[in-house]
Amino acid sequence: MSEFKLTTVEEFEAATDRLLETGAKVGADSWQLRVKNQTPHCKFGEQGICCRICSMGPCRITPKAPRGICGCDAHGIVGRNYLKFTAGGAATHSDHGREICHTLYESAADGNYKVKDPDKLIRIAKEWGIETEGKDIYELAHEVAETGLMEYGKPFGTQRFLKRAPQTTQDIWEKEEIAPRAIDREVATSLHMSHMGCSSLPEALVRQSLRAGLSDGWGGSMMGTEFSDVLFGTPKPIDTEANLGVMVEENVNIVVHGHDPSLSEMICEYADDPEMIAYAKEMGAKGITVSGVCCTSNEVAMRRGIPMAGNFLQQENVVLTGACEAIVVDVQCIFPALGPLSKCFHTKFITTSPIAQMPDSEFIRFNSKTAGENAKAIVKAAIDNFKNRKPELVHIPDMKQKATVGYSVEAIVKVLDGVTNTQVDETGTTKPLLECITSGVIRGAVAMVGCNNPKIRPDTAHIELMKKCIANDIIIIASGCSAQAAAKAGLMDKSAKDLCGAGLKRVCELADIPPVLHMGSCVDISRMMILAAELAKDSGLKISQLPVVGCAPEWMSEKAVSIGNYVVSTGIDTFLGVDPYVSGSSEMAELLTGGIRDWVEAAYTVETDIEKLVDLMIERIEEKREALGI
Ligand code: XCC
Ligand code: SF4
């Protein structure tokens, strides 16, 4: 038996350096070079004290100029910036959710998109009070999709999915007036409040940030996750591989990148088509390999076992291999750099969404009605491009790890069933997991999420934090680029149980799981909310009492701030490794790291020293245990 070994960050970096040498040969730019050009960053921006929301400015706060021209102080400026940042994230995640609602609406027995998990659809319909009896599944799909779409603009009431939270959580949201109403309304209200001459009171701005975040996590993102499951199947554990070594030199390599599975699912479908494979062979390749980057990669890895080429800061590397025939993108987290970079190689950079259009790309407009044809055209374009490779530029780092992914809440409940002697009913409960936690076999859980950020040595924070947690019997649930960091390193290989403390190791063996559970993409952080809600309901505790924390050590996007806001608002303490541009206001910093605890029973901790960050998380988990007397 070969011995299990994690891939080290030094090994990643050596592989990247080798790829950058190729880049230098062809005159390619890279994020590593651009970071140098942008450093040091603007101090005003870093502290959040630059305001340019009206044309009397831009105004910057200094000791000599403590107020902008309108009289707004640092606290108001930082607060408005924070709210706008959140609104950007909530809008983005939720609009992704809306696209999925539309895809569901377009589903048909003879269409491009089918309902793969009818049980889940029926469950949601019942939950929403939609009559299911005597209806054709597609009739029901349309009705549920339309009801979902109404959640974005309904004039009255709050989000339907809030009822999934424990009553105690719902009461907090009501009392604090942060229960989210229509999703678009929360985004629009956020932009209204942060307009010139509206709110400049930190409390009001933070409250709306929490509310907008909740409209994402318990609204748009949750619909994105649930309806993706309905359309493409609810994830179950499945084996795959991760890191650049999943690309295959002899094959046509298609890399999917972005977030919306409506595109990537179709690409995978057609790349698997015997007709297409035959065509690839005709063109001199041995076959077709689809691999992924960022969250769309998580989506197809969880449902199809499609390998993960890498996470956010590895997106340029896939092109630098010289072996990427096409990088096909939909929305979000796509570097505009891919345009000029792909021009240095034979790679086709294919954009597909009117929402993400970029220079130097080929735009093949993708929509649900013509999805099949679009996907076929894209796969064909990639195959046709195989002959244009420049062999002297081809180098795929020989680097990959095994990973078992696909841990939806349903899957977690199922795999942990039977680990203890707890009786569970047929629908399954989280009681076995709770028993592991109360007995101390598992000390607690960390929800690891978020991106890479050049401010932190890529992946190190994710990996080091996870290693320390599992060694301390803390189980990790991961999503987004954090999950991919884990997979690339080998932490989603079941053999990684050897890095755990004795308790967690035993659970991994009994349940046959890796110690880091892949829960999906970033909209799938909604799965984590549901898991926390179920744990609270099954234990009779409040979510805030559970020994569970959230962590985004290398986050970078607006979406991540929206996520942070809904995780905290759900009662889960959240640890950040990068400051969300609030250091310029003591009032804002104090509210987010302390004051909001009085409202939602949780708050942020910001600590850029990663060693300290992990210790603080473990400390918090142990504090929660102590308070429960377990
Ligand atoms: Fe984007 Fe979702 Fe961040 Fe990765 S983790 S860099 S947001 S792909 Ni969401
Ligand atoms: Fe300056 Fe006030 Fe205008 Fe902002 S809103 S740019 S602080 S004048």
Side-chain angles (χ1 to χ4, degrees):
M1 218 176 89
S2 66
E3 206 190 316
F4 169 71
K5 195 183 147 293
L6 288 183
T7 304
T8 65
V9 173
E10 288 73 18
E11 285 167 322
F12 288 145
E13 287 171 347
T16 299
D17 288 345
R18 168 66 183 76
L19 291 171
L20 289 173
E21 279 170 28
T22 315
K25 262 190 234 162
V26 296
D29 191 14
S30 68
W31 66 260
Q32 289 86 347
L33 296 171
R34 295 189 299 272
V35 165
K36 287 198 185 115
N37 295 342
Q38 288 293 342
T39 312
H41 294 283
C42 163
K43 288 277 168 259
F44 297 100
E46 265 181 348
Q47 296 174 63
I49 48 174
C50 168
C51 184
R52 47 170 293 282
I53 66 169
C54 92
S55 74
M56 294 192 286
C59 300
R60 306 181 300 184
I61 300 302
T62 64
K64 267 171 70 189
R67 286 177 189 273
I69 290 169
C70 65
C72 193
D73 62 10
H75 311 300
I77 291 176
V78 170
R80 292 192 302 219
N81 287 341
Y82 185 81
L83 179 54
K84 281 196 196 292
F85 214 90
T86 305
T92 304
H93 269 150
S94 298
D95 210 36
H96 163 175
R98 178 178 357 233
E99 292 290 326
I100 300 290
C101 291
H102 278 293
T103 306
L104 182 63
Y105 189 81
E106 294 291 338
S107 66
D110 57 353
N112 286 307
Y113 296 99
K114 312 255 188 327
V115 168
K116 277 218 185 113
D117 191 342
D119 295 341
K120 190 160 204 169
L121 177 66
I122 293 169
R123 235 186 304 142
I124 296 169
K126 288 192 173 142
E127 188 182 338
W128 283 1
I130 295 169
E131 182 55 57
T132 58
E133 282 308 307
K135 271 184 198 156
D136 170 73
I137 199 73
Y138 288 97
E139 193 186 332
L140 190 61
H142 298 167
E143 209 174 316
V144 169
E146 195 169 342
T147 310
L149 286 164
M150 294 301 185
E151 289 298 283
Y152 286 83
K154 62 184 184 185
F156 308 108
T158 52
Q159 287 298 299
R160 288 170 180 266
F161 278 144
L162 302 188
K163 295 226 159 42
R164 291 179 164 190
Q167 193 57 49
T168 46
T169 308
Q170 294 183 48
D171 292 346
I172 290 173
W173 292 339
E174 272 310 316
K175 174 166 166 280
E176 297 303 330
E177 291 183 48
I178 55 171
R181 302 156 295 181
I183 300 160
D184 289 349
R185 178 175 187 181
E186 297 310 351
V187 172
T189 297
S190 300
L191 295 180
H192 186 176
M193 283 180 74
S194 57
H195 187 273
M196 189 273 153
C198 283
S199 289
S200 48
L201 188 69
E203 286 84 356
L205 293 161
V206 169
R207 217 178 269 279
Q208 180 58 22
S209 301
L210 300 182
R211 197 172 204 178
L214 283 169
S215 77
D216 167 2
W218 290 83
S221 275
M222 201 169 277
M223 288 196 275
T225 294
E226 294 289 58
F227 296 150
S228 293
D229 283 358
V230 167
L231 285 163
F232 308 119
T234 302
K236 299 196 264 297
I238 186 168
D239 291 333
T240 185
E241 290 175 327
N243 218 343
L244 287 172
V246 304
M247 294 172 73
V248 180
E249 190 166 336
E250 300 77 36
N251 288 358
V252 171
N253 285 294
I254 302 176
V255 177
V256 290
H257 176 12
H259 284 77
D260 186 338
S262 311
L263 169 73
S264 46
E265 280 281 337
M266 278 291 154
I267 300 284
C268 294
E269 200 68 49
Y270 280 88
D272 232 8
D273 183 357
E275 193 193 316
M276 286 291 153
I277 296 172
Y279 185 54
K281 289 187 176 155
E282 213 175 290
M283 299 311 272
K286 277 207 172 138
I288 305 172
T289 298
V290 180
S291 59
V293 172
C294 282
C295 279
T296 210
S297 170
N298 290 318
E299 300 271 359
V300 286
M302 296 257 286
R303 298 196 179 92
R304 292 173 175 264
I306 295 291
M308 301 181 272
N311 49 358
F312 183 61
L313 283 182
Q314 203 151 307
Q315 57 183 290
E316 292 176 330
N317 290 13
V318 302
V319 178
L320 289 167
T321 61
C324 173
E325 273 58 58
I327 181 159
V328 189
V329 304
D330 49 85
V331 291
Q332 305 167 24
C333 302
I334 301 146
F335 272 6
L338 292 178
L341 177 63
S342 58
K343 287 266 172 294
C344 300
F345 292 84
H346 76 302
T347 307
K348 276 185 184 292
F349 175 40
I350 302 176
T351 47
T352 61
S353 167
I355 291 170
Q357 305 182 54
M358 297 186 192
D360 296 316
S361 72
E362 194 176 316
F363 185 55
I364 301 183
R365 188 169 181 156
F366 191 86
N367 79 52
S368 51
K369 286 209 177 70
T370 54
E373 287 158 47
N374 300 146
K376 207 166 168 180
I378 291 168
V379 173
K380 185 160 178 304
I383 298 172
D384 285 331
N385 198 23
F386 184 72
K387 61 175 185 302
N388 298 325
R389 260 197 208 173
K390 300 182 185 109
E392 68 282 9
L393 297 181
V394 174
H395 168 77
I396 300 174
D398 178 21
M399 191 174 264
K400 62 179 174 185
Q401 287 277 9
K402 287 193 287 179
T404 304
V405 301
Y407 293 96
S408 54
V409 175
E410 292 86 339
I412 291 178
V413 166
K414 194 146 176 235
V415 292
L416 286 170
D417 194 3
V419 167
T420 64
N421 296 320
T422 318
Q423 293 274 311
V424 294
D425 60 40
E426 57 184 5
T427 54
T429 71
T430 61
K431 292 217 169 99
L433 178 55
L434 278 168
E435 203 174 288
C436 293
I437 295 174
T438 9
S439 65
V441 179
I442 295 178
R443 305 298 294 172
V446 177
M448 290 278 303
V449 307
C451 329
N452 296 128
N453 185 325
K455 287 181 178 157
I456 288 168
R457 194 176 172 191
D459 291 351
T460 44
H462 291 298
I463 294 167
E464 293 310 316
L465 284 167
M466 291 187 202
K467 276 165 47 187
K468 186 147 187 187
C469 287
I470 63 175
N472 282 282
D473 291 322
I474 293 167
I475 195 167
I476 305 283
I477 50 177
S479 76
C481 291
S482 181
Q484 292 175 321
K488 286 193 298 172
L491 287 164
M492 288 179 176
D493 186 324
K494 287 176 185 167
S495 307
K497 68 175 180 358
D498 292 339
L499 305 172
C500 300
L504 181 56
K505 183 174 178 186
R506 183 99 189 97
V507 172
C508 289
E509 281 167 351
L510 284 171
D512 193 29
I513 53 171
V516 179
L517 299 178
H518 192 308
M519 284 194 90
S521 65
C522 290
V523 290
D524 292 340
I525 294 167
S526 63
R527 294 189 202 278
M528 299 175 171
M529 298 303 98
I530 293 172
L531 182 60
E534 291 305 311
L535 284 168
K537 285 189 247 173
D538 288 342
S539 64
L541 297 170
K542 295 199 278 186
I543 292 180
S544 60
Q545 290 177 292
L546 300 170
V548 173
V549 300
C551 179
E554 304 182 24
W555 74 272
M556 63 86 203
S557 73
E558 291 173 316
K559 290 180 287 174
V561 173
S562 176
I563 292 167
N565 284 327
Y566 74 71
V567 174
V568 164
S569 303
T570 302
I572 301 172
D573 283 317
T574 298
F575 293 74
L576 304 178
V578 179
D579 171 60
Y581 299 145
V582 297
S583 63
S585 160
S586 54
E587 284 181 28
M588 277 296 294
E590 207 296 306
L591 259 178
L592 294 172
T593 58
I596 55 174
R597 190 174 295 283
D598 295 339
W599 308 343
V600 294
E601 301 180 347
Y604 285 104
T605 299
V606 182
E607 176 53 70
T608 51
D609 179 333
I610 297 305
E611 269 291 311
K612 283 191 195 145
L613 188 71
V614 64
D615 290 340
L616 288 168
M617 290 201 302
I618 296 175
E619 219 171 89
R620 187 65 47 84
I621 285 173
E622 291 301 330
E623 271 169 29
K624 299 230 176 211
R625 295 190 65 93
E626 207 169 310
L628 290 171
I630 56 174

